[in-house]
Amino acid sequence: MMEELLQDITIYHKENDKYIRYPKQASVRNTSIRNRNNTGVNDTDKTLIRVFDTKDYNNTWKCQKGDTIVLMDVSDEIVDAPLTELRNKYDKEYVCQVNSIDIFDFSDEDIKELNHIKIGAK
């Protein structure tokens, strides 16, 4: 049943001077979530993305604030500016920029299927 709720996404993570592409499966919801950072600045995410692969996070795939996500499986090579390049090709509706990341990795084996990386994007 969980597979029915997931869709393909592609994360473009900047590492040094190049962009690494990570295809993942995630739950994606269009929403409006208000964030408040440590300095008191408010920001609003338009997309909530949950990736349930917490075990391999930062080992086989990475994502951080400022990375670009396409809400489908794509294989584009990024030359210079992922957000602009990908929005020009796939439309703003399907391309977003990571605004916040929270890791929910519970130490309880009984609820391990609830482990996820929560990504807020705009």
Side-chain angles (χ1 to χ4, degrees), residues 14 17 19 77-85:
K14 186 170 184 179
D17 61 344
Y19 292 90
E77 294 295 323
I78 302 302
V79 177
D80 189 33
L83 194 62
T84 304
E85 291 176 36

Side-chain angles (χ1 to χ4, degrees), residues 65-97:
K65 186 173 181 174
D67 285 351
T68 301
I69 297 179
V70 181
L71 303 179
M72 61 182 87
D73 186 17
V74 298
S75 59
D76 299 76
E77 294 295 323
I78 302 302
V79 177
D80 189 33
L83 194 62
T84 304
E85 291 176 36
L86 294 167
R87 281 186 174 169
N88 286 340
K89 185 171 183 179
Y90 297 107
D91 196 43
K92 186 176 180 177
E93 178 181 339
Y94 297 101
V95 181
C96 49
Q97 186 173 43

Side-chain angles (χ1 to χ4, degrees), residues 10-97:
T10 307
I11 300 169
Y12 284 92
H13 172 71
K14 186 170 184 179
E15 205 161 294
N16 298 321
D17 61 344
K18 65 181 188 172
Y19 292 90
I20 310 298
R21 186 179 71 83
Y22 296 111
K24 301 303 298 173
Q25 286 223 308
S27 167
V28 177
R29 300 288 175 259
N30 291 325
T31 186
S32 182
I33 300 172
R34 192 166 178 91
N35 292 316
R36 184 179 184 106
N37 68 16
N38 294 341
T39 62
V41 175
N42 290 315
D43 204 354
T44 302
D45 295 333
K46 70 172 183 121
T47 306
L48 173 62
I49 302 165
R50 287 190 176 101
V51 179
F52 294 92
D53 180 11
T54 59
K55 180 180 173 191
D56 292 327
Y57 181 65
N58 279 333
N59 293 321
T60 63
W61 71 279
K62 296 179 181 181
C63 184
Q64 65 186 25
K65 186 173 181 174
D67 285 351
T68 301
I69 297 179
V70 181
L71 303 179
M72 61 182 87
D73 186 17
V74 298
S75 59
D76 299 76
E77 294 295 323
I78 302 302
V79 177
D80 189 33
L83 194 62
T84 304
E85 291 176 36
L86 294 167
R87 281 186 174 169
N88 286 340
K89 185 171 183 179
Y90 297 107
D91 196 43
K92 186 176 180 177
E93 178 181 339
Y94 297 101
V95 181
C96 49
Q97 186 173 43

